[in-house]
Amino acid sequence: AKPQDVMQPFIDVGRVMDRELRRVVPTLVKLGYAVLITGDHGNWEKVLKECDSGSARKIFKQHAYYWGAVAAARGGNFGKAVDWLNALFTEYADTQYYVDGYNLLAECYMATGKHGEATNIAKTGSAKGKEIGVPDDLLLQLDMIKARALEAQNKFAEASGEYKVIAGKAARF
């Protein structure tokens, strides 16, 4: 497959999302809503096929690692998702998928009931993110996962403290 053939569906989705978000978000903000935008790509079967074939890995190795992890996680194969993410972080310490990758890694641990590991991953991701200059507003995502993981461990006082810190940080943006 040619690089543009593999990436075109993602580009098309991005354009539609950009157009619609520009239309809807200002109205929601005026009405007092807090808007949180996350990414979700529905073509995971195609992405996984491309990643497993190796063709995308040769061209877009970083993308293949991240989207391979997303595809595996959506398919319930959290072990394979963790393998993809570990490969991503090993080869690309400053990857553009840094925050999303650590979020997904923590979510994989959350999904398998390993809440302590999820907390540690979120802490590690946040610390490493600061080292490589990831903006604080993006690191709030990792803080949210850390708070959720603490809550899942019945550490409600700690989780409440984390949520308070997150609210304070978010107020600065």
Side-chain angles (χ1 to χ4, degrees):
K2 295 178 183 176
Q4 61 271 26
D5 295 337
V6 174
M7 297 305 294
Q8 193 58 49
F10 298 111
I11 294 167
D12 293 344
V13 166
R15 287 183 180 142
V16 170
M17 290 298 297
D18 287 345
R19 181 187 70 230
E20 294 304 312
L21 289 171
R22 279 193 304 271
R23 186 178 66 78
V24 172
V25 170
T27 302
L28 292 171
V29 171
K30 284 180 187 174
L31 293 171
Y33 287 93
V35 179
L36 175 65
I37 300 168
T38 62
D40 186 282
H41 297 274
N43 294 336
W44 66 270
E45 297 97 340
K46 181 177 180 181
V47 175
L48 182 59
K49 183 178 177 184
E50 290 294 328
C51 291
D52 282 347
S53 74
S55 63
R57 199 175 305 135
K58 292 175 188 171
I59 302 165
F60 302 109
K61 198 170 185 183
Q62 204 177 156
H63 305 310
Y65 283 161
Y66 176 73
W67 290 110
V70 169
R74 286 189 179 157
N77 190 341
F78 300 110
K80 186 169 185 175
V82 168
D83 290 344
W84 280 102
L85 291 166
N86 284 331
L88 173 68
F89 296 135
T90 299
E91 292 189 38
Y92 300 99
D94 61 348
T95 177
Q96 67 180 15
Y97 291 111
Y98 186 87
V99 173
D100 292 332
Y102 268 94
N103 278 329
L104 181 57
L105 188 58
E107 290 289 354
C108 287
Y109 284 113
M110 291 282 286
T112 56
K114 297 177 181 174
H115 303 115
E117 287 90 337
T119 302
N120 292 335
I121 288 295
K123 287 178 183 176
T124 299
S126 189
K128 287 183 179 179
K130 288 176 186 169
E131 285 176 20
I132 65 170
V134 172
D136 286 342
D137 57 332
L138 295 177
L139 293 175
L140 285 177
Q141 295 175 43
L142 290 167
D143 294 339
M144 285 295 290
I145 288 180
K146 182 171 56 173
R148 286 181 39 232
L150 288 167
E151 201 174 336
Q153 296 171 74
N154 296 324
K155 296 180 179 178
F156 300 114
E158 264 184 88
S160 181
E162 287 294 325
Y163 286 126
K164 186 174 182 176
V165 169
I166 292 165
K169 288 179 181 177
R172 293 192 309 246
F173 300 110

